[in-house]
């Protein structure tokens, strides 16, 4: 990026957006830290409702971004997805339509949008890679969210072919870290279990893990993902998506997650599984070889260190965090 770059981050007040803000403000190196000629703007829904074209147009007129990191979305864990499939599809489609169209209208040089490893085909071979996004229907539990997200990739190729736009996307695996959403019903597993374990310890009540604990997941620490987003914005030139995940060898079970949280919180009690609750996808093992080819020296934060940092943030910010 040569002359002054104005980088608009939608969803700047969320889990991933706050991590990008943290990295830009705390990293000093040239690779991930803020650069001289960059102005970073972090949006929340207070700046405008991205489902509304007029709001998005006003945001672009106000900031005239040269680059966009598009994180804003309706987001949630398995149980919220199962309950609100149309909302996930429709709200995210509206936001994506408005952001990409205004980015084209305002000649934004590059847009990086966000998919998810949970949108891949349910019936698939493993490990999953970037070429498989559209190779079959997603898991039924989140087909609304999944198809909405897949359309970003379709949009990106159509904008590139018709208007030459440089719109691309990344495919993060499950993300966790400070500023997560800790709602007990709608959150993802790691923040949900963090909150449940905290309450069990505080109130001496049972700590219940939903499902069998057997499903497998790869988790990426939000601050590691943030660095990879900044790298993607600056260095990644393809239109095709790129998976941003830890390796297959770092896949853990939901029980491993519960054990990790118990250890980080020094919870002395027992926990039980409520197998009447859904397990969702058994696994969605993603291959990060494409990323490692581009940035072979990238170091992921060890899972237990990342959980410890996240739990400490949770305990220090309990009164004000999303729950
Ligand atoms: P999050 O914590 O729920 O944050 C969502 C962000 O989007 C917030 O800043 C929110 O603003 C904003 N937003 C939502 N609806 C909006 C609207 N109508 N108008 C304007 N802004 C709106 O989500 P996240 O976990 O950071 O997710 C960021 C991106 O990563 C999403 O695209 C998500 O699909 C993707 N992703 C997440 C995960 C994960 O495990 N979390 C995994 C893979 C991919 P307010 O704060 O004002 O509500
Ligand atoms: O993060 P999560 O809700 O979503 O994880 P997915 C669900 C898994 O964790 C299931 C178990 O196996 C649940 O049975 N689990 C155990 C819990 N205790 C809890 C709990 O207290 N809360 C939650 N939420 N789960 C999502 C997609 O799939 O992945 C989204 O539905 C999104 O669209 C996200 O993309 C990244 O990993 O199953």
């Amino acid at each position: 990026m040569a002359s002054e770059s104005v980088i608009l981050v939608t969803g700047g007040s969320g889990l991933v957006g706050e991590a990008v803000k943290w990295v830009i403000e705390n990293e000093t190196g040239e690779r991930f830290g803020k650069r001289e000629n960059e102005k970073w703007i972090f949006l929340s829904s207070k700046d405008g409702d991205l489902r509304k074209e007029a709001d998005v147009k006003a945001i672009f007129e106000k900031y005239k971004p040269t680059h966009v990191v598009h994180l804003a979305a309706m987001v949630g864990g398995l149980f919220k997805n199962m309950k609100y499939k149309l909302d996930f599809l429709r709200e995210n489609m509206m936001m994506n339509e408005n952001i990409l169209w205004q980015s084209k209208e305002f000649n934004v040089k590059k847009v990086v949008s966000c998919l998810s490893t949970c949108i891949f085909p349910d019936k698939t071979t493993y490990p999953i890679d970037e070429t498989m996004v559209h190779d079959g229907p997603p898991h039924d539990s989140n087909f609304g969210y999944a198809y909405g997200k897949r359309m970003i990739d379709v949009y990106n190729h159509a904008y590139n072919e018709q208007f030459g736009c440089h719109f691309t996307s990344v495919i993060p695996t499950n993300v966790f870290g400070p500023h997560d959403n800790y709602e007990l019903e709608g959150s993802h597993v790691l923040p949900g279990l963090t909150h449940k374990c905290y309450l069990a310890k505080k109130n001496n009540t049972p700590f219940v893990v939903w499902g069998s604990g057997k499903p497998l997941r790869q988790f990426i620490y939000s601050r590691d993902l943030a660095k990879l987003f900044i790298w993607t914005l600056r260095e990644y030139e393809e239109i095709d998506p790129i998976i941003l995940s830890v390796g297959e060898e770092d896949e853990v079970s939901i029980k491993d997650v519960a054990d990790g949280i118990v250890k980080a919180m020094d919870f002395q009690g027992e926990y039980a599984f409520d197998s009447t609750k859904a397990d969702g996808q058994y696994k969605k093992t993603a291959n990060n070889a494409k990323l490692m080819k581009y940035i072979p020296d990238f170091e992921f934060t060890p899972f237990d260190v990342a959980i410890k940092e996240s739990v400490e943030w949770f305990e220090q910010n309990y009164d004000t965090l999303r729950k």
Side-chain angles (χ1 to χ4, degrees):
M1 288 181 252
S3 57
E4 151 108 317
S5 297
V6 177
I7 303 151
L8 194 67
V9 181
T10 73
S13 51
L15 162 68
V16 181
E18 285 284 358
V20 175
K21 194 187 293 178
W22 186 89
V23 170
I24 285 296
E25 289 171 354
N26 290 278
E27 276 290 318
T28 48
E30 175 68 11
R31 197 180 200 191
F32 302 121
K34 183 182 174 308
R35 291 178 177 171
E36 270 308 299
N37 64 345
E38 292 175 345
K39 184 176 169 207
W40 287 76
I41 295 149
F42 294 88
L43 299 177
S44 80
S45 57
K46 293 185 186 66
D47 299 292
D49 182 344
L50 303 185
R51 295 168 300 184
K52 294 179 181 153
E53 183 178 20
D55 283 24
V56 178
K57 198 164 174 217
I59 288 169
F60 275 67
E61 277 163 354
K62 178 177 179 183
Y63 294 109
K64 295 193 174 36
T66 58
H67 298 75
V68 174
V69 177
H70 175 36
L71 301 174
M74 178 176 178
V75 177
L78 168 66
F79 301 98
K80 186 174 173 184
N81 266 276
M82 288 165 68
K83 212 167 163 187
Y84 302 106
K85 293 177 184 175
L86 187 274
D87 292 347
F88 273 99
L89 174 63
R90 185 164 178 266
E91 296 211 5
N92 289 330
M93 286 295 290
M94 288 194 279
M95 286 188 241
N96 301 335
E97 158 60 24
N98 290 329
I99 289 294
L100 295 177
W101 180 253
Q102 294 306 323
S103 294
K104 190 273 285 180
E105 289 289 276
F106 281 80
N107 299 314
V108 169
K109 291 181 188 147
K110 185 170 177 182
V111 179
V112 181
S113 299
C114 210
L115 279 55
S116 167
T117 54
C118 74
I119 72 169
F120 281 113
D122 181 38
K123 303 270 177 293
T124 178
T125 54
Y126 296 100
I128 300 169
D129 68 34
E130 291 85 353
T131 65
M132 300 155 75
V133 172
H134 304 284
D135 287 356
H139 191 266
D140 182 61
S141 61
N142 71 336
F143 75 77
Y145 176 83
Y147 281 117
K149 284 292 186 179
R150 289 187 188 188
M151 288 313 293
I152 292 177
D153 181 45
V154 175
Y155 264 129
N156 288 349
H157 285 280
Y159 271 106
N160 181 252
E161 289 189 25
Q162 185 168 339
F163 298 110
C165 296
H166 189 183
F167 297 170
T168 189
S169 64
V170 296
I171 311 179
T173 189
N174 290 51
V175 192
F176 71 99
H179 297 278
D180 210 331
N181 175 354
Y182 293 88
E183 282 167 34
L184 292 172
E185 293 304 319
S187 62
H188 290 101
V189 58
L190 207 140
L193 289 182
T194 300
H195 193 178
K196 289 203 275 192
C197 187
Y198 172 84
L199 293 172
K201 184 174 177 183
K202 181 163 163 268
N203 306 327
N204 198 17
T205 49
F207 173 27
V208 180
V209 179
W210 289 335
S212 68
K214 293 193 173 72
L216 301 170
R217 296 289 184 272
Q218 289 153 290
F219 291 92
I220 186 167
Y221 188 32
S222 58
R223 292 175 176 173
D224 292 343
L225 177 63
K227 290 177 184 171
L228 293 173
F229 254 106
I230 293 162
W231 168 82
T232 306
L233 182 70
R234 292 171 172 166
E235 312 291 342
Y236 181 67
E237 293 305 315
E238 295 181 39
I239 302 298
D240 284 334
I242 182 166
I243 287 171
L244 303 183
S245 173
V246 295
E248 299 157 58
E249 66 283 0
D250 293 318
E251 194 173 46
V252 294
S253 71
I254 298 300
K255 180 179 184 310
D256 294 332
V257 173
D259 291 340
I261 289 165
V262 162
K263 183 168 165 244
M265 282 196 152
D266 189 23
F267 175 65
Q268 301 300 325
E270 289 296 310
Y271 66 78
F273 291 97
D274 174 359
S275 52
T276 65
K277 295 276 177 137
D279 268 345
Q281 284 173 282
Y282 174 66
K283 58 186 270 176
K284 41 186 172 177
T285 316
N287 177 311
N288 72 351
K290 180 173 178 180
L291 174 67
M292 290 297 104
K293 200 154 81 358
Y294 270 109
I295 182 168
D297 61 340
F298 186 78
E299 288 182 14
F300 293 97
T301 305
F303 190 46
D304 56 344
V305 172
I307 288 190
K308 190 86 184 116
E309 283 185 17
S310 305
V311 162
E312 278 165 6
W313 184 90
F314 172 85
E315 288 170 336
Q316 286 156 15
N317 295 275
Y318 187 74
D319 294 341
T320 53
L321 52 77
R322 286 181 289 170
K323 55 186 184 285

